[in-house]
Protein backbone atom coordinates (compact mmCIF):
# COMPACT_ATOMS: atom_id res chain seq x y z
CA UNK A 1 0.00 0.00 0.00
CA UNK A 2 2.80 2.44 0.90
CA UNK A 3 4.57 1.63 -2.38
CA UNK A 4 1.32 2.31 -4.29
CA UNK A 5 0.85 5.66 -2.53
CA UNK A 6 4.44 6.55 -3.34
CA UNK A 7 3.90 5.79 -7.02
CA UNK A 8 0.71 7.83 -7.09
CA UNK A 9 2.49 10.71 -5.38
CA UNK A 10 5.37 10.53 -7.86
CA UNK A 11 2.90 10.51 -10.74
CA UNK A 12 1.09 13.59 -9.41
CA UNK A 13 4.38 15.42 -8.92
CA UNK A 14 5.46 14.42 -12.42
CA UNK A 15 2.22 15.70 -13.95
CA UNK A 16 2.49 18.94 -12.00
CA UNK A 17 6.09 19.37 -13.17
CA UNK A 18 5.12 18.74 -16.80
CA UNK A 19 2.21 21.19 -16.53
CA UNK A 20 4.50 23.82 -15.03
CA UNK A 21 7.04 23.25 -17.80
CA UNK A 22 4.36 23.57 -20.50
CA UNK A 23 2.97 26.77 -18.95
CA UNK A 24 6.50 28.16 -18.69
CA UNK A 25 7.13 27.46 -22.37
CA UNK A 26 3.79 29.05 -23.32
CA UNK A 27 4.53 32.14 -21.24
CA UNK A 28 7.92 32.48 -22.93
CA UNK A 29 6.32 32.12 -26.37
CA UNK A 30 3.67 34.67 -25.39
CA UNK A 31 6.30 37.19 -24.29
CA UNK A 32 8.14 36.73 -27.59
CA UNK A 33 4.90 37.24 -29.47
CA UNK A 34 4.22 40.47 -27.57
CA UNK A 35 7.67 41.78 -28.51
CA UNK A 36 7.01 40.92 -32.15
CA UNK A 37 3.71 42.82 -32.03
CA UNK A 38 5.40 45.92 -30.59
CA UNK A 39 8.02 45.82 -33.35
CA UNK A 40 5.36 45.29 -36.04
CA UNK A 41 3.32 48.30 -34.88
CA UNK A 42 6.47 50.46 -34.94
CA UNK A 43 7.54 49.20 -38.39
CA UNK A 44 4.08 49.89 -39.87
CA UNK A 45 4.01 53.40 -38.42
CA UNK A 46 0.69 52.76 -36.68
CA UNK A 47 -0.43 54.94 -33.79
CA UNK A 48 0.49 53.04 -30.61
CA UNK A 49 -2.94 52.86 -28.99
CA UNK A 50 -4.14 49.93 -26.85
CA UNK A 51 -6.74 49.04 -29.46
CA UNK A 52 -4.18 48.93 -32.29
CA UNK A 53 -1.88 46.75 -30.21
CA UNK A 54 -4.79 44.40 -29.52
CA UNK A 55 -5.70 44.17 -33.22
CA UNK A 56 -2.12 43.35 -34.22
CA UNK A 57 -1.83 40.91 -31.34
CA UNK A 58 -4.96 39.01 -32.38
CA UNK A 59 -3.80 38.90 -36.00
CA UNK A 60 -0.38 37.53 -34.99
CA UNK A 61 -2.09 35.00 -32.76
CA UNK A 62 -4.17 33.52 -35.60
CA UNK A 63 -1.60 30.89 -36.69
CA UNK A 64 -0.39 29.96 -33.21
CA UNK A 65 -1.21 26.81 -31.24
CA UNK A 66 -4.59 26.42 -29.55
CA UNK A 67 -2.88 26.31 -26.14
CA UNK A 68 -1.20 29.66 -26.72
CA UNK A 69 -4.45 31.15 -28.05
CA UNK A 70 -6.31 30.02 -24.93
CA UNK A 71 -3.71 31.57 -22.62
CA UNK A 72 -3.64 34.81 -24.63
CA UNK A 73 -7.43 35.14 -24.75
CA UNK A 74 -7.60 34.71 -20.98
CA UNK A 75 -5.07 37.50 -20.66
CA UNK A 76 -7.05 39.76 -22.99
CA UNK A 77 -10.36 39.06 -21.29
CA UNK A 78 -9.01 39.87 -17.83
CA UNK A 79 -10.10 43.35 -16.85
CA UNK A 80 -11.87 44.06 -20.15
CA UNK A 81 -14.94 41.89 -20.30
CA UNK A 82 -16.19 43.15 -16.96
CA UNK A 83 -16.49 46.69 -18.28
CA UNK A 84 -18.42 45.72 -21.40
CA UNK A 85 -20.69 43.31 -19.54
CA UNK A 86 -21.46 45.93 -16.90
CA UNK A 87 -22.37 48.43 -19.61
CA UNK A 88 -24.66 45.95 -21.35
CA UNK A 89 -26.29 44.99 -18.05
CA UNK A 90 -26.85 48.67 -17.31
CA UNK A 91 -28.61 49.07 -20.64
CA UNK A 92 -30.77 46.04 -19.93
CA UNK A 93 -31.85 47.60 -16.62
CA UNK A 94 -32.51 50.93 -18.32
CA UNK A 95 -34.64 49.25 -20.96
CA UNK A 96 -36.58 47.44 -18.25
CA UNK A 97 -37.14 50.75 -16.46
CA UNK A 98 -38.30 52.38 -19.68
CA UNK A 99 -40.82 49.59 -20.23
CA UNK A 100 -42.20 50.13 -16.72
CA UNK A 101 -42.50 53.86 -17.24
CA UNK A 102 -44.22 53.26 -20.57
CA UNK A 103 -46.76 51.01 -18.84
CA UNK A 104 -47.45 53.75 -16.28
CA UNK A 105 -48.00 56.20 -19.12
CA UNK A 106 -50.39 53.75 -20.80
CA UNK A 107 -52.43 53.49 -17.59
CA UNK A 108 -52.51 57.27 -17.24
CA UNK A 109 -53.73 57.50 -20.83
CA UNK A 110 -56.63 55.19 -19.95
CA UNK A 111 -57.47 57.33 -16.93
CA UNK A 112 -57.45 60.38 -19.15
CA UNK A 113 -59.90 58.76 -21.58
CA UNK A 114 -62.15 57.68 -18.69
CA UNK A 115 -62.13 61.24 -17.42
CA UNK A 116 -63.33 62.49 -20.78
CA UNK A 117 -66.08 59.88 -20.70
CA UNK A 118 -67.12 61.12 -17.27
CA UNK A 119 -67.59 64.62 -18.67
CA UNK A 120 -69.93 63.21 -21.32
CA UNK A 121 -71.97 61.33 -18.73
CA UNK A 122 -72.28 64.41 -16.52
CA UNK A 123 -73.41 66.53 -19.44
CA UNK A 124 -76.01 63.93 -20.28
CA UNK A 125 -77.31 63.79 -16.72
CA UNK A 126 -77.52 67.59 -16.57
CA UNK A 127 -79.66 67.52 -19.68
CA UNK A 128 -81.93 64.93 -18.04
CA UNK A 129 -82.35 67.04 -14.90
CA UNK A 130 -83.70 69.86 -17.00
CA UNK A 131 -86.61 67.66 -18.00
CA UNK A 132 -87.99 67.11 -14.45
CA UNK A 133 -91.58 68.22 -13.64
CA UNK A 134 -90.75 71.05 -11.22
CA UNK A 135 -88.86 73.65 -13.22
CA UNK A 136 -87.92 75.84 -10.25
CA UNK A 137 -86.36 73.04 -8.23
CA UNK A 138 -84.72 71.57 -11.26
CA UNK A 139 -83.19 74.89 -12.24
CA UNK A 140 -81.81 75.47 -8.75
CA UNK A 141 -80.29 72.00 -8.65
CA UNK A 142 -78.87 72.37 -12.09
CA UNK A 143 -77.45 75.82 -11.32
CA UNK A 144 -75.70 74.67 -8.16
CA UNK A 145 -74.47 71.49 -9.80
CA UNK A 146 -73.26 73.36 -12.84
CA UNK A 147 -71.22 75.73 -10.68
CA UNK A 148 -69.52 72.83 -8.88
CA UNK A 149 -69.00 70.80 -12.02
CA UNK A 150 -67.61 73.76 -13.94
CA UNK A 151 -65.23 74.43 -11.08
CA UNK A 152 -64.16 70.78 -11.15
CA UNK A 153 -63.83 70.92 -14.91
CA UNK A 154 -61.54 73.91 -14.74
CA UNK A 155 -59.30 72.16 -12.21
CA UNK A 156 -59.19 68.83 -14.00
CA UNK A 157 -58.65 70.48 -17.39
CA UNK A 158 -55.58 72.25 -16.03
CA UNK A 159 -54.35 68.97 -14.55
CA UNK A 160 -55.00 67.20 -17.82
CA UNK A 161 -53.05 69.82 -19.74
CA UNK A 162 -50.15 69.46 -17.30
CA UNK A 163 -50.36 65.68 -17.58
CA UNK A 164 -50.28 65.91 -21.36
CA UNK A 165 -47.17 68.12 -21.28
CA UNK A 166 -45.48 65.79 -18.79
CA UNK A 167 -46.31 62.79 -20.98
CA UNK A 168 -44.85 64.44 -24.08
CA UNK A 169 -41.69 65.49 -22.24
CA UNK A 170 -41.18 62.03 -20.74
CA UNK A 171 -41.79 60.32 -24.08
CA UNK A 172 -39.23 62.61 -25.70
CA UNK A 173 -36.63 61.73 -23.04
CA UNK A 174 -37.29 58.02 -23.46
CA UNK A 175 -37.00 58.21 -27.25
CA UNK A 176 -33.79 60.21 -26.96
CA UNK A 177 -32.26 57.72 -24.52
CA UNK A 178 -33.34 54.78 -26.67
CA UNK A 179 -31.73 56.30 -29.78
CA UNK A 180 -28.43 56.70 -27.87
CA UNK A 181 -28.11 53.08 -26.77
CA UNK A 182 -25.51 50.80 -28.33
CA UNK A 183 -27.01 47.40 -27.54
CA UNK A 184 -29.47 45.43 -29.67
CA UNK A 185 -31.67 43.64 -27.15
CA UNK A 186 -33.01 41.09 -29.67
CA UNK A 187 -29.68 39.75 -30.91
CA UNK A 188 -27.35 40.54 -28.00
CA UNK A 189 -24.90 42.51 -30.17
CA UNK A 190 -24.31 46.17 -31.02
CA UNK A 191 -27.06 48.12 -32.75
CA UNK A 192 -27.43 50.44 -35.75
CA UNK A 193 -26.50 53.57 -33.80
CA UNK A 194 -23.24 52.04 -32.59
CA UNK A 195 -22.07 50.70 -35.96
CA UNK A 196 -22.72 54.07 -37.62
CA UNK A 197 -20.80 55.87 -34.87
CA UNK A 198 -17.95 53.35 -35.09
CA UNK A 199 -17.75 53.72 -38.87
CA UNK A 200 -17.62 57.49 -38.58
CA UNK A 201 -14.68 57.29 -36.17
CA UNK A 202 -12.93 54.58 -38.20
CA UNK A 203 -13.06 56.63 -41.40
CA UNK A 204 -11.14 59.46 -39.74
CA UNK A 205 -8.29 57.02 -38.93
CA UNK A 206 -7.78 55.76 -42.49
CA UNK A 207 -4.44 56.47 -44.11
CA UNK A 208 -1.49 54.98 -46.04
CA UNK A 209 -0.67 52.62 -43.19
CA UNK A 210 -4.17 51.99 -41.93
CA UNK A 211 -7.16 50.46 -43.68
CA UNK A 212 -10.40 48.86 -42.62
CA UNK A 213 -13.29 46.96 -44.15
CA UNK A 214 -16.96 46.40 -43.49
CA UNK A 215 -18.98 43.21 -43.96
CA UNK A 216 -22.71 43.45 -44.62
CA UNK A 217 -24.49 40.12 -44.42
CA UNK A 218 -27.82 38.41 -43.92
CA UNK A 219 -29.55 35.06 -44.17
CA UNK A 220 -29.74 33.95 -47.81
CA UNK A 221 -33.04 34.92 -49.43
CA UNK A 222 -33.59 31.39 -50.68
CA UNK A 223 -33.53 30.09 -47.10
CA UNK A 224 -35.76 32.90 -45.84
CA UNK A 225 -38.36 32.25 -48.58
CA UNK A 226 -38.27 28.52 -47.91
CA UNK A 227 -38.94 29.05 -44.19
CA UNK A 228 -41.54 31.79 -44.45
CA UNK A 229 -42.43 31.65 -40.75
CA UNK A 230 -41.41 34.89 -38.99
CA UNK A 231 -40.76 33.21 -35.63
CA UNK A 232 -38.51 30.58 -37.21
CA UNK A 233 -36.63 33.28 -39.14
CA UNK A 234 -36.02 35.12 -35.86
CA UNK A 235 -34.51 31.95 -34.38
CA UNK A 236 -32.21 31.50 -37.40
CA UNK A 237 -31.12 35.14 -37.30
CA UNK A 238 -30.37 34.84 -33.58
CA UNK A 239 -28.21 31.81 -34.39
CA UNK A 240 -26.35 33.83 -37.01
CA UNK A 241 -25.70 36.61 -34.48
CA UNK A 242 -24.23 34.08 -32.04
CA UNK A 243 -22.01 32.59 -34.75
CA UNK A 244 -20.75 36.04 -35.77
CA UNK A 245 -19.79 36.78 -32.17
CA UNK A 246 -17.92 33.50 -31.79
CA UNK A 247 -16.11 33.83 -35.13
CA UNK A 248 -15.10 37.47 -34.77
CA UNK A 249 -12.02 39.04 -33.22
CA UNK A 250 -12.41 41.13 -30.11
CA UNK A 251 -11.49 44.24 -32.08
CA UNK A 252 -14.29 43.63 -34.61
CA UNK A 253 -17.60 45.44 -34.16
CA UNK A 254 -20.45 42.96 -34.66
CA UNK A 255 -23.83 44.65 -34.96
CA UNK A 256 -27.38 44.31 -36.18
CA UNK A 257 -28.12 47.12 -38.65
CA UNK A 258 -31.82 46.58 -39.34
CA UNK A 259 -34.34 44.05 -40.66
CA UNK A 260 -32.07 41.02 -40.18
CA UNK A 261 -29.08 42.69 -41.84
CA UNK A 262 -25.84 42.42 -39.85
CA UNK A 263 -22.70 44.54 -40.14
CA UNK A 264 -19.16 43.74 -38.99
CA UNK A 265 -16.48 46.41 -38.89
CA UNK A 266 -13.07 44.81 -39.47
CA UNK A 267 -10.39 47.10 -38.10
CA UNK A 268 -6.90 46.90 -39.61
CA UNK A 269 -8.26 44.74 -42.45
CA UNK A 270 -7.82 45.14 -46.18
CA UNK A 271 -10.32 43.74 -48.68
CA UNK A 272 -8.05 40.73 -49.04
CA UNK A 273 -8.26 40.12 -45.30
CA UNK A 274 -12.01 40.70 -45.44
CA UNK A 275 -12.44 38.03 -48.11
CA UNK A 276 -10.56 35.56 -45.92
CA UNK A 277 -12.94 36.41 -43.08
CA UNK A 278 -15.91 35.82 -45.41
CA UNK A 279 -14.69 32.32 -46.22
CA UNK A 280 -14.21 31.59 -42.53
CA UNK A 281 -17.73 32.81 -41.75
CA UNK A 282 -19.20 30.62 -44.49
CA UNK A 283 -17.46 27.66 -42.90
CA UNK A 284 -18.74 28.50 -39.41
CA UNK A 285 -22.29 29.10 -40.58
CA UNK A 286 -22.48 25.98 -42.76
CA UNK A 287 -21.20 23.90 -39.89
CA UNK A 288 -24.12 25.04 -37.76
CA UNK A 289 -27.44 23.26 -38.11
CA UNK A 290 -30.72 24.27 -36.51
CA UNK A 291 -33.59 21.88 -35.84
CA UNK A 292 -37.07 23.34 -36.14
CA UNK A 293 -39.90 20.87 -35.44
CA UNK A 294 -37.50 17.96 -36.03
CA UNK A 295 -36.52 19.44 -39.40
CA UNK A 296 -32.83 20.13 -39.91
CA UNK A 297 -32.05 23.51 -41.43
CA UNK A 298 -28.56 24.33 -42.71
CA UNK A 299 -27.84 28.02 -42.49
CA UNK A 300 -26.68 29.92 -45.57
CA UNK A 301 -25.63 33.58 -45.68
CA UNK A 302 -24.69 36.19 -48.26
CA UNK A 303 -21.95 38.73 -47.56
CA UNK A 304 -20.85 41.99 -49.14
CA UNK A 305 -17.30 43.12 -48.33
CA UNK A 306 -16.85 46.89 -48.55
CA UNK A 307 -13.57 48.80 -48.36
CA UNK A 308 -13.68 51.98 -46.26
CA UNK A 309 -12.46 55.22 -47.83
CA UNK A 310 -11.75 58.64 -46.38
CA UNK A 311 -14.41 60.25 -48.58
CA UNK A 312 -17.13 57.76 -47.58
CA UNK A 313 -20.17 58.38 -45.39
CA UNK A 314 -21.25 55.60 -42.99
CA UNK A 315 -24.78 55.40 -44.42
CA UNK A 316 -23.55 55.29 -48.03
CA UNK A 317 -21.04 52.54 -47.21
CA UNK A 318 -23.76 50.37 -45.70
CA UNK A 319 -26.17 51.21 -48.53
CA UNK A 320 -23.62 49.99 -51.10
CA UNK A 321 -23.26 46.75 -49.14
CA UNK A 322 -27.02 46.23 -48.97
CA UNK A 323 -27.28 46.86 -52.72
CA UNK A 324 -24.64 44.18 -53.29
CA UNK A 325 -26.63 41.76 -51.13
CA UNK A 326 -29.65 42.26 -53.37
CA UNK A 327 -27.53 41.18 -56.35
CA UNK A 328 -26.73 37.96 -54.44
CA UNK A 329 -30.39 37.28 -53.59
CA UNK A 330 -30.61 34.21 -55.84
CA UNK A 331 -27.38 32.67 -54.49
CA UNK A 332 -26.30 30.98 -51.26
CA UNK A 333 -22.94 31.13 -49.46
CA UNK A 334 -21.75 33.85 -51.82
CA UNK A 335 -20.00 37.15 -51.28
CA UNK A 336 -19.44 40.24 -53.39
CA UNK A 337 -16.58 42.72 -53.07
CA UNK A 338 -17.55 46.38 -53.26
CA UNK A 339 -14.96 49.04 -54.10
CA UNK A 340 -12.05 46.67 -54.56
Amino acid sequence: MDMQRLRIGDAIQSEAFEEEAVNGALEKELRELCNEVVDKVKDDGILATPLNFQIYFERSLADKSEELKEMALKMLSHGQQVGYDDYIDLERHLRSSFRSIKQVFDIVAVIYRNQALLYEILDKRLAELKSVDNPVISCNIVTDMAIEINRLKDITRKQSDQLKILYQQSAKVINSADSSTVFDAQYGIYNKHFILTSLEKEITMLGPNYNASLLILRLADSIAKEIGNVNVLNVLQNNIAEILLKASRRSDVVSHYENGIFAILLRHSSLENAQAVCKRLFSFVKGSSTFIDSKRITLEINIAAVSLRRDSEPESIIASGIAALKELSTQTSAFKVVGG
Side-chain angles (χ1 to χ4, degrees):
M1 180 67 72
D2 291 339
M3 183 62 70
Q4 185 179 2
R5 289 177 180 173
L6 183 60
R7 288 174 179 169
I8 294 173
D10 289 343
I12 294 174
Q13 289 181 1
S14 177
E15 290 176 2
F17 178 79
E18 289 177 3
E19 184 178 354
E20 184 178 348
V22 169
N23 289 337
L26 287 174
E27 289 177 3
K28 181 180 179 181
E29 187 178 357
L30 190 56
R31 283 194 295 271
E32 292 174 352
L33 178 63
C34 292
N35 291 331
E36 291 175 8
V37 169
V38 172
D39 292 338
K40 181 65 174 173
V41 170
K42 289 181 180 179
D43 293 342
D44 288 352
I46 299 299
L47 191 63
T49 64
L51 178 59
N52 286 340
F53 275 118
Q54 181 177 332
I55 294 171
Y56 269 69
F57 182 78
E58 290 175 352
R59 184 180 296 175
S60 300
L61 194 64
D63 58 350
K64 301 299 180 182
S65 66
E66 293 300 322
E67 293 80 5
L68 185 63
K69 287 180 182 179
E70 184 178 355
M71 175 178 285
L73 290 177
K74 285 181 180 179
M75 179 188 71
L76 285 174
S77 62
H78 181 68
Q80 291 184 354
Q81 193 61 40
V82 174
Y84 289 117
D85 286 347
D86 287 348
Y87 190 83
I88 290 173
D89 286 339
L90 174 62
E91 284 200 11
R92 286 198 181 105
H93 289 308
L94 285 173
R95 286 180 178 275
S96 178
S97 299
F98 291 156
R99 284 195 296 268
S100 299
I101 293 173
K102 180 64 167 58
Q103 289 172 354
V104 171
F105 286 163
D106 290 341
I107 294 172
V108 171
V110 172
I111 295 174
Y112 183 84
R113 289 195 296 270
N114 290 341
Q115 192 179 59
L117 180 61
L118 176 62
Y119 295 155
E120 294 178 7
I121 294 173
L122 289 174
D123 290 339
K124 181 180 179 180
R125 294 291 179 260
L126 286 172
E128 291 175 352
L129 278 173
K130 291 180 181 179
S131 64
V132 297
D133 293 337
N134 191 324
V136 176
I137 296 176
S138 296
C139 286
N140 290 336
I141 293 174
V142 169
T143 300
D144 292 340
M145 185 180 295
I147 292 172
E148 296 299 323
I149 290 176
N150 287 330
R151 186 180 301 164
L152 176 62
K153 280 185 177 181
D154 290 339
I155 294 172
T156 52
R157 279 200 180 103
K158 290 179 181 178
Q159 292 175 336
S160 297
D161 290 340
Q162 292 174 348
L163 185 61
K164 182 179 180 181
I165 293 172
L166 176 62
Y167 183 97
Q168 291 173 340
Q169 290 176 342
S170 301
K172 185 177 179 180
V173 171
I174 290 175
N175 290 334
S176 176
D178 188 60
S179 64
S180 300
T181 59
V182 302
F183 180 68
D184 188 292
Q186 180 177 357
Y187 296 107
I189 54 180
Y190 289 118
N191 62 12
K192 179 178 181 177
H193 171 76
F194 190 79
I195 188 64
L196 289 174
T197 303
S198 299
L199 279 172
E200 187 175 3
K201 292 179 180 178
E202 198 72 14
I203 288 170
T204 62
M205 298 173 60
L206 298 175
N209 297 316
Y210 185 88
N211 49 33
S213 303
L214 180 72
L215 301 184
I216 303 295
L217 59 98
R218 67 180 175 188
L219 182 70
D221 278 356
S222 58
I223 301 294
K225 291 176 182 177
E226 179 184 346
I227 300 301
N229 187 299
V230 175
N231 293 328
V232 175
L233 286 176
N234 286 335
V235 172
L236 297 181
Q237 288 166 350
N238 271 287
N239 290 349
I240 290 174
E242 291 178 6
I243 293 170
L244 297 182
L245 275 177
K246 292 178 181 177
S248 64
R249 303 173 303 179
R250 285 177 169 273
S251 56
D252 298 337
V253 179
V254 181
S255 65
H256 173 241
Y257 185 69
E258 61 185 9
N259 301 324
I261 295 176
F262 299 93
I264 306 177
L265 172 59
L266 304 175
R267 295 187 171 104
H268 279 292
S269 293
S270 62
L271 272 180
E272 184 179 348
N273 298 137
Q275 292 178 55
V277 173
C278 290
K279 293 175 182 178
R280 189 170 77 248
L281 288 177
F282 286 140
S283 177
F284 271 101
V285 170
K286 269 204 154 184
S288 173
S289 295
T290 300
F291 287 88
I292 305 294
D293 295 331
S294 301
K295 180 182 178 181
R296 181 177 178 178
I297 300 174
T298 300
L299 295 177
E300 299 279 1
I301 57 173
N302 289 335
I303 310 176
V306 188
S307 177
L308 303 190
R309 300 191 309 272
R310 290 279 297 184
D311 59 347
S312 301
E313 293 292 333
E315 290 87 352
S316 64
I317 294 172
I318 294 178
S320 63
I322 294 175
L325 285 182
K326 292 180 180 179
E327 296 179 20
L328 300 173
S329 60
T330 59
Q331 304 177 51
T332 58
S333 293
F335 70 89
K336 182 178 178 65
V337 176
V338 181

